[in-house]
Amino acid sequence: MWVSALSFFRRRWYELFFGVHHLYIIFFLFFLYHVIRTVHFIVIPCLLFMVDRFLRMVQSQHSVDVLSAKILESGCLHLRIAGGKESNTGGREWYHALSSWYLRIPSLSILMRFQWHLFSATSTPMDGREELSFMIKPLGKWTSNLKDQLFRSAQVHDISGLTYQCPFSLKAGVEGPYGYESDFFLEYNVLVLICGGIGVTPFLAILSDVLHRKQKGQRVLPSQIHVYHCVKKPEELCVLNSLDPNGIVPEYQRHGLEIEVCAYVTRQIIDTNAHKCPSSQTRKTPNNKEIAYSPTTLPTRYKPHAVSRISSKGEPVWLACIVIASITGYYILWGLSNVFLIKTPKASFPNYNRAHLVLVSMILGTVVFGGFFVLIWHLWLKQQQIQLHCSHPLPSISSTDSERTAYDSFLSMSTCSTLQENVPLSSIANHPISSSITSEAPIEVQHGSTPIKMNGKLKEIMIQMDRMENHKNGIATCSLTAHGSPWNGSLHFGCRPCWDDIFTHLGKLYQAQDIGVLVSGSTSMRQDVAEQCRKHTNIIGTASSNVFHYHSISFDL
């Protein structure tokens, strides 16, 4: 079991990992055989575990509609899943920006229909949308199979605007939310978000959450956000560019929020002969497509099947009722079995039969007694959703369209949003540190410093890049906005960030601040950043010393 949980085995043979770990049921039964005489010491923890598993089973059996699926230019999948309208939760969000969810697409294949995979959401409850959004990078068999089926379906015919039948239904199983119980990142006035590749997905949720809270006028929010995003190829920046901050809060800088983005493309350098900055439009035309999949028409007043709120992180009142009922049901059933089956303590009743009775009492106590309150909870949620839909009616659809089936779906191919024209390399002149740079300059490069565009002005950030060569070696720094990105900041080609210089600059830029550092990336990246946080935090120092609070964010299983 331990060997199958290692990353090497888990990522290559997920079915083996998933099946072996379900052997805990046999282990638990043999455990009861040995401790049956003292079972009352472990009954309550075991019942809590069974209640959690029972609620997960109830939630996972609910089929959820996938509203759309899209293959981005980098090959990542963008899934939008129906989340449903918010019911009466007493002012408490039912999930958080850093929440993770288990997903299952049962129609992919027979072998993969039982597979659950954990993904972090890029959506936030603050956006007001009735959906969950996920960015998935095809790395394993399950994700690659999903991408391949979408891609093959789009290649049935050449680009003609026609529609095609999708080879699988738009249903998914969803479990969650899991992970963080609070939006702790809101406690910091300065946030540093460091990510690599697809690790940017949880930070999209954080950025969206902060922007939507700013839009709603909340005051206790981070005012300075630094994002350092490392990718291998330029087209991988499309995941970060999928979120437009100005689309949420236009001119957010004027509202006291500064977001600085530094993107690093590590495996592509300047083409000194072509005299152009690298562009993400470097692939052949047939592959340079964005494949979108969504249902065409739905019946009149059709309500998508959303994620069930019945989970171990649901309403506390209902959870308390279920737990109390399950515990009560166990003791009632165990007492009845002692009276009518075991009869007397001195009776010669085998231990394994006692263990079977304990296990059956736990299961029936959870399913029957606790399940009664689960049923009432389900009916209450259903009534709440009816009231919400009555207060916000769905738009009607024409009778012609309503005659079609609910899932007459299609695959369409559309070209990706093209980036801006390549900027000539001649405009990326090597300016000396003392030279002045006007705010109209689209692209800037300096030796020994990295100019950043913030609030419409270019501020020189004196960060000595020991590893960065000059332009002659094919390394340059461009403006993100000039490269078609909605974010203000810099885009570095052919280099990696020097964390020591970056943290030194942050230490000089801020004084006596609690700085939240969130890292979502490879193991080596997390180790390097953790070392820099330790190195640049001086708790015993002067009153102006900063404290870097390190947080490791997981974005995959």
Side-chain angles (χ1 to χ4, degrees):
M1 184 179 294
W2 174 78
V3 172
S4 64
L6 296 176
S7 177
F8 177 83
F9 292 95
R10 187 182 70 245
R11 294 184 179 277
R12 289 168 174 79
W13 301 284
Y14 184 84
E15 295 85 354
L16 177 63
F17 157 78
F18 186 79
V20 168
H21 274 70
H22 277 77
L23 295 177
Y24 76 89
I25 301 174
I26 300 177
F27 168 81
F28 179 71
L29 184 60
F30 278 90
F31 175 74
L32 286 180
Y33 290 160
H34 290 276
V35 299
I36 190 60
R37 296 294 180 178
T38 57
V39 71
H40 51 276
F41 291 111
I42 62 169
V43 161
I44 301 300
C46 292
L47 283 172
L48 293 176
F49 173 76
M50 286 195 172
V51 168
D52 176 72
R53 295 298 305 181
F54 178 60
L55 292 176
R56 290 180 61 179
M57 182 189 69
V58 171
Q59 186 186 33
S60 63
Q61 295 304 311
H62 183 74
S63 295
V64 181
D65 287 330
V66 178
L67 301 178
S68 69
K70 184 186 297 182
I71 300 180
L72 301 182
E73 181 188 2
S74 64
C76 290
L77 310 178
H78 183 196
L79 297 184
R80 292 171 52 246
I81 296 177
K85 292 186 177 181
E86 195 68 40
S87 58
N88 183 17
T89 56
R92 183 177 59 89
E93 290 123 6
W94 71 291
Y95 75 99
H96 299 278
L98 288 176
S99 296
S100 299
W101 306 77
Y102 277 102
L103 298 182
R104 177 176 66 93
I105 308 276
S107 53
L108 280 181
S109 68
I110 297 178
L111 295 178
M112 297 181 180
R113 65 180 309 164
F114 299 108
Q115 289 189 16
W116 291 89
H117 295 266
L118 187 68
F119 299 100
S120 57
T122 60
S123 56
T124 168
M126 300 301 297
D127 58 17
R129 298 179 181 177
E130 302 173 18
E131 62 184 45
L132 298 174
S133 177
F134 299 93
M135 291 285 185
I136 301 173
K137 184 176 182 179
L139 293 174
K141 295 180 181 179
W142 189 88
T143 52
S144 298
N145 187 281
L146 176 59
K147 176 192 172 182
D148 291 342
Q149 291 210 29
L150 282 172
F151 193 74
R152 284 196 301 268
S153 301
Q155 289 185 329
V156 174
H157 197 270
D158 294 334
I159 305 173
S160 59
L162 301 177
T163 59
Y164 306 96
Q165 283 292 122
C166 186
F168 61 98
S169 63
L170 282 173
K171 293 289 185 179
V174 182
E175 276 188 19
Y178 297 100
Y180 295 91
E181 295 287 346
S182 65
D183 297 317
F184 66 90
F185 53 87
L186 299 177
E187 301 174 359
Y188 300 106
N189 184 52
V190 181
L191 270 181
V192 179
L193 308 179
I194 300 174
C195 53
I198 196 62
V200 73
T201 52
F203 294 158
L204 291 178
I206 290 179
L207 293 170
S208 177
D209 190 81
V210 172
L211 288 167
H212 280 96
R213 291 178 186 271
K214 178 66 70 174
Q215 181 191 45
K216 296 181 179 180
Q218 295 189 16
R219 297 184 180 274
V220 184
L221 295 172
S223 61
Q224 303 283 340
I225 301 179
H226 300 265
V227 182
Y228 298 92
H229 184 31
C230 301
V231 296
K232 296 179 180 179
K233 301 178 181 179
E235 53 264 27
E236 295 181 27
L237 293 173
C238 65
V239 179
L240 176 64
N241 296 337
S242 64
L243 177 64
D244 184 6
N246 292 292
I248 303 174
V249 183
E251 298 182 351
Y252 56 89
Q253 298 92 340
R254 295 185 178 182
H255 298 275
L257 177 61
E258 292 187 359
I259 302 177
E260 169 198 332
V261 178
C262 294
Y264 295 84
V265 180
T266 60
R267 292 192 180 180
Q268 185 163 347
I269 62 176
I270 283 286
D271 185 0
T272 56
N273 296 324
H275 300 292
K276 290 184 179 182
C277 277
S279 170
S280 61
Q281 301 284 354
T282 56
R283 297 186 301 169
K284 295 181 180 180
T285 303
N287 295 331
N288 193 18
K289 305 298 175 186
E290 186 178 84
I291 304 172
Y293 164 49
S294 59
T296 53
T297 57
L298 297 174
T300 304
R301 302 186 64 82
Y302 176 79
K303 296 184 298 182
H305 297 276
V307 178
S308 175
R309 300 296 199 275
I310 298 178
S311 67
S312 56
K313 291 190 177 181
E315 289 292 326
V317 175
W318 290 109
L319 291 176
C321 293
I322 295 171
V323 171
I324 294 173
S326 300
I327 295 175
T328 303
Y330 162 76
Y331 279 110
I332 291 175
L333 295 175
W334 177 240
L336 293 176
S337 63
N338 274 274
V339 172
F340 294 102
L341 296 178
I342 302 177
K343 296 187 178 181
T344 62
K346 297 181 179 179
S348 56
F349 202 80
N351 283 345
Y352 61 87
N353 284 339
R354 290 176 183 267
H356 296 161
L357 288 178
V358 169
L359 186 60
V360 170
S361 299
M362 286 182 178
I363 296 175
L364 292 180
T366 302
V367 175
V368 177
F369 290 81
F372 174 75
F373 285 93
V374 172
L375 177 61
I376 298 178
W377 189 6
H378 169 72
L379 296 176
W380 179 79
L381 287 174
K382 189 175 181 180
Q383 184 64 28
Q384 290 286 327
Q385 292 297 322
I386 292 175
Q387 294 177 1
L388 287 173
H389 283 288
C390 289
S391 59
H392 302 282
L394 294 172
S396 59
I397 305 176
S398 62
S399 58
T400 304
D401 291 338
S402 63
E403 294 176 356
R404 301 182 184 182
T405 59
Y407 281 100
D408 179 17
S409 55
F410 71 96
L411 281 165
S412 63
M413 296 186 65
S414 59
T415 58
C416 290
S417 300
T418 58
L419 301 178
Q420 296 184 6
E421 295 294 330
N422 293 336
V423 182
L425 192 60
S426 58
S427 64
I428 317 178
N430 291 325
H431 303 284
I433 296 177
S434 59
S435 64
S436 60
I437 307 176
T438 61
S439 59
E440 290 79 10
I443 293 181
E444 319 81 31
V445 167
Q446 283 193 359
H447 286 288
S449 66
T450 307
I452 301 296
K453 186 175 182 180
M454 295 173 59
N455 295 336
K457 299 179 181 179
L458 293 175
K459 300 181 179 179
E460 296 182 12
I461 299 179
M462 307 302 296
I463 304 176
Q464 299 300 327
M465 297 295 183
D466 296 333
R467 300 180 184 178
M468 182 175 288
E469 301 285 339
N470 56 19
H471 165 65
K472 295 180 180 179
N473 291 331
I475 299 176
T477 302
C478 307
S479 171
L480 273 173
T481 53
H483 206 68
S485 174
W487 300 96
N488 291 330
S490 60
L491 178 58
H492 307 260
F493 289 97
C495 65
R496 297 178 181 271
C498 182
W499 300 120
D500 187 51
D501 294 338
I502 290 174
F503 276 85
T504 299
H505 161 70
L506 292 174
K508 295 178 180 179
L509 188 61
Y510 303 104
Q511 299 294 327
Q513 293 278 354
D514 285 328
I515 302 176
V517 181
L518 283 66
V519 186
S520 176
S522 62
T523 303
S524 60
M525 173 182 285
R526 296 197 300 266
Q527 292 174 350
D528 293 341
V529 174
E531 176 62 25
Q532 295 301 323
C533 289
R534 184 199 63 79
K535 177 181 178 181
H536 292 273
T537 298
N538 188 9
I539 301 178
I540 312 179
T542 62
S544 61
S545 299
N546 296 306
V547 177
F548 292 92
H549 299 268
Y550 174 83
H551 301 274
S552 178
I553 307 299
S554 176
F555 61 95
D556 64 352
L557 179 60

